[in-house]
Amino acid sequence: MQRYFINQPADGQKLALPKDVAHHLVTVLRATVGSQVELVLADHRVYLATLTATNPAQVKIVQDLDRDSELPLRVTLVCGLPKTKEKPELIVQKATELGADRIVFFESARSISYWAKNKQAKKLARLQKIADGAAEQSHRNRQPQVAYYPDLESALAANPADQRVVAWEESAKQGETSALHRLLVGMTTGQSLLAVFGPEGGLTGQEVERMQEVGVVPVGLGPRILRTETAPLYFMAAVSYASELATTQR
Amino acid sequence: MQRYFINQPADGQKLALPKDVAHHLVTVLRATVGSQVELVLADHRVYLATLTATNPAQVKIVQDLDRDSELPLRVTLVCGLPKTKEKPELIVQKATELGADRIVFFESARSISYWAKNKQAKKLARLQKIADGAAEQSHRNRQPQVAYYPDLESALAANPADQRVVAWEESAKQGETSALHRLLVGMTTGQSLLAVFGPEGGLTGQEVERMQEVGVVPVGLGPRILRTETAPLYFMAAVSYASELATTQR
């Protein structure tokens, strides 16, 4: 069923649909009075609603569906800005499907591209729109927030977390295989986890050292070399597997 | 270091480089006599080699590097053909990075597109080239094989495996969370695992029933709805995590 996020309180039975939602539901999907939709309201709960009028569009809340598809851990991805425009879009779309809570880009030492100050708002708005759409399609209860920072320090300072890791391919080369697993099995529902990923050329040794000094743990993601846009998706899937599917062993 | 696959036996110290490899190494990367490269020969082992001549290009094998980045399980992905040309390309590139052994597309009941007979060879060749390039970049020991079948039955018949699963979102909706995990922890190094994924509209109940009748196990991939191209990548990352990173618990 079609799902929309509507940032309104769930304190009544009737709800006027915002213009963009009304347009999509009534004009694009040709919904009629009586059609049902799922709405995620400001309390991040999913409600079943019935369309009671189309112009202006109004719904009646029928039922709290009590569905939660959020990851047990709140994951923030901190990605060195990739070269192309397409890669941040792919990361945002897929990481949203895979349950990320926050997706942050920063200018890493080896980042080739950067976002000019006067274009940051527009670029962020575009990525946020991709995240919002992917959150609806994947039936999330929350829309991840997308953010941009000019450097790693400010990205880390602005995003505190219970545990912090950095995907570091030298870690994998040295045969390190279980740091991520050890960390994940030690985490509990509701905790936050931040993970840093390098751009195409990788993080510099200096960047990783500075992170280690402040307690960020280097973790390997297996023996194969993953592209800059693949590593965060591997990470999200691993967190889901460890915290949602492999829980019989936790 | 640059890695190339060369399908020649490793029975000598000297090796003439194939034309395409020579062109990339000498003309594109401007390698000179003395430059080093990694070669994966027909035995799937990685050798360090030194360029001894450039025209025609020849190398001397210096050392067997004894590196293996292959997954402990041989994974075949069987994907319902997606709508767009881009999605099979994304699946092939990413699944190769993530360690797939074989990537198969088939016309599923809800597949909107299909490959005309006279275009299949060309389409396969293009996808195989993407797999070959991704295998080099991700430092695999094997290049996955890409294949196409007109229907699910022939895809399954042509790809026997020790264990077979189907990603089934109804499985996830019914709260099934541990079937994949139970199956993965029971598998041992060298075994083969086949996984079936639906196209955009999903598999039909009939397709899943027919598979269940022949012993294919439905598994959920978490509570969020994944796009057709995201599910196989989640699956590959989960297999890697379970068999390469979480092995302390196996």
Side-chain angles (χ1 to χ4, degrees):
Chain A
M1 194 179 297
Q2 186 66 35
R3 176 175 294 203
Y4 298 105
F5 285 85
I6 295 180
N7 193 18
Q8 292 183 28
D11 56 0
Q13 276 222 305
K14 282 189 178 174
L15 204 74
L17 293 181
K19 262 193 180 165
D20 54 336
V21 171
H23 173 77
H24 189 262
L25 183 63
V26 176
T27 311
V28 180
L29 297 184
R30 299 174 187 274
T32 51
V33 168
S35 294
Q36 293 197 313
V37 286
E38 288 179 7
L39 301 180
V40 182
L41 300 182
D43 59 359
H44 301 291
R45 298 187 67 85
V46 187
Y47 296 91
L48 183 68
T50 306
L51 197 63
T52 54
T54 55
N55 190 16
Q58 209 173 42
V59 295
K60 189 176 77 179
I61 302 291
V62 178
Q63 190 190 343
D64 179 340
L65 290 173
D66 198 22
R67 274 188 208 150
D68 187 0
S69 62
E70 293 300 303
L71 270 181
L73 305 177
R74 286 180 293 120
V75 180
T76 296
L77 301 177
V78 178
C79 305
L81 192 64
K83 250 189 305 200
T84 65
K85 199 185 81 178
E86 289 73 25
K87 287 186 181 180
E89 295 182 0
L90 184 76
I91 292 171
V92 166
Q93 186 192 73
K94 299 290 168 240
T96 299
E97 286 175 65
L98 295 166
D101 187 56
R102 202 169 159 81
I103 304 153
V104 168
F105 294 96
F106 72 99
E107 276 172 52
S108 183
R110 292 205 182 112
S111 284
I112 285 170
S113 64
Y114 71 101
W115 288 4
K117 270 215 172 122
N118 60 349
K119 292 192 177 158
Q120 286 177 14
K122 200 176 157 190
K123 283 171 184 285
L124 268 184
R126 183 177 161 80
L127 290 178
Q128 187 62 52
K129 202 175 165 185
I130 290 171
D132 292 350
E136 286 181 355
Q137 287 203 11
S138 57
H139 283 202
R140 295 276 307 267
N141 292 56
R142 289 175 183 271
Q143 293 164 307
Q145 294 306 299
V146 186
Y148 178 79
Y149 297 91
D151 54 63
L152 180 57
E153 281 68 25
S154 53
L156 291 179
N159 295 282
D162 294 317
Q163 295 283 359
R164 299 189 295 180
V165 302
V166 50
W168 178 228
E169 71 180 46
E170 295 301 326
S171 225
K173 279 188 197 157
Q174 288 157 23
E176 181 281 299
T177 54
S178 59
L180 177 61
H181 178 60
R182 281 199 308 271
L183 188 133
L184 287 178
V185 293
M187 292 190 76
T188 52
T189 297
Q191 283 197 308
S192 57
L193 171 61
L194 178 145
V196 181
F197 302 88
E200 280 85 356
L203 296 160
T204 64
Q206 210 183 16
E207 284 177 314
V208 175
E209 267 172 43
R210 283 207 311 272
M211 282 192 266
Q212 284 186 276
E213 281 165 18
V214 296
V216 182
V217 179
V219 297
L221 303 179
R224 291 163 299 284
I225 295 179
L226 302 178
R227 285 174 200 236
T228 183
E229 73 276 19
T230 313
L233 309 183
Y234 178 109
F235 184 82
M236 289 308 307
V239 171
S240 163
Y241 179 80
S243 65
E244 297 181 318
L245 303 192
T247 47
T248 47
Q249 284 202 354
R250 292 185 78 195
Chain B
M1 193 179 298
Q2 187 65 36
R3 176 175 293 203
Y4 298 105
F5 286 84
I6 296 180
N7 192 18
Q8 292 184 28
D11 57 0
Q13 275 221 304
K14 281 188 178 175
L15 205 74
L17 293 181
K19 262 192 181 166
D20 54 338
V21 171
H23 173 76
H24 189 261
L25 184 63
V26 176
T27 312
V28 179
L29 298 184
R30 299 173 186 275
T32 52
V33 169
S35 295
Q36 293 196 312
V37 286
E38 288 178 7
L39 301 180
V40 182
L41 300 183
D43 58 0
H44 301 292
R45 297 187 67 85
V46 187
Y47 296 90
L48 183 68
T50 306
L51 197 62
T52 54
T54 55
N55 191 13
Q58 209 173 43
V59 295
K60 189 176 78 179
I61 303 291
V62 178
Q63 191 189 342
D64 178 340
L65 290 172
D66 198 23
R67 276 189 206 148
D68 187 1
S69 62
E70 293 299 304
L71 270 181
L73 305 177
R74 285 180 294 119
V75 180
T76 296
L77 301 176
V78 179
C79 304
L81 192 64
K83 250 189 304 201
T84 67
K85 199 185 81 176
E86 289 73 25
K87 288 186 182 182
E89 295 182 1
L90 184 76
I91 292 170
V92 166
Q93 186 193 71
K94 300 292 170 237
T96 300
E97 288 176 64
L98 295 166
D101 187 56
R102 203 170 159 81
I103 304 153
V104 168
F105 295 96
F106 71 99
E107 275 171 55
S108 184
R110 293 205 182 113
S111 284
I112 286 170
S113 64
Y114 71 101
W115 288 3
K117 271 216 172 121
N118 60 348
K119 292 191 177 160
Q120 287 177 13
K122 201 177 156 190
K123 282 172 185 282
L124 268 184
R126 182 177 161 80
L127 290 177
Q128 187 62 53
K129 202 176 165 184
I130 289 172
D132 292 349
E136 287 181 355
Q137 286 203 13
S138 56
H139 284 202
R140 296 276 307 265
N141 292 57
R142 288 175 183 271
Q143 294 164 307
Q145 293 305 299
V146 186
Y148 179 80
Y149 297 90
D151 55 62
L152 180 57
E153 280 68 26
S154 52
L156 290 178
N159 293 283
D162 294 317
Q163 295 283 358
R164 299 189 295 181
V165 301
V166 51
W168 177 229
E169 69 180 47
E170 295 300 327
S171 229
K173 279 189 198 156
Q174 288 157 23
E176 180 281 299
T177 54
S178 59
L180 178 61
H181 178 61
R182 280 199 307 272
L183 187 133
L184 287 178
V185 294
M187 293 190 75
T188 52
T189 298
Q191 282 196 308
S192 56
L193 171 61
L194 177 145
V196 181
F197 303 87
E200 280 86 357
L203 296 160
T204 63
Q206 208 183 15
E207 283 177 314
V208 175
E209 266 172 43
R210 282 207 313 271
M211 282 192 267
Q212 283 187 278
E213 282 166 18
V214 295
V216 182
V217 180
V219 297
L221 303 180
R224 290 163 301 284
I225 295 178
L226 302 178
R227 286 174 200 237
T228 182
E229 74 277 20
T230 312
L233 309 183
Y234 178 109
F235 184 82
M236 289 307 306
V239 171
S240 163
Y241 180 80
S243 65
E244 296 181 317
L245 303 193
T247 46
T248 48
Q249 286 201 352
R250 290 185 82 195

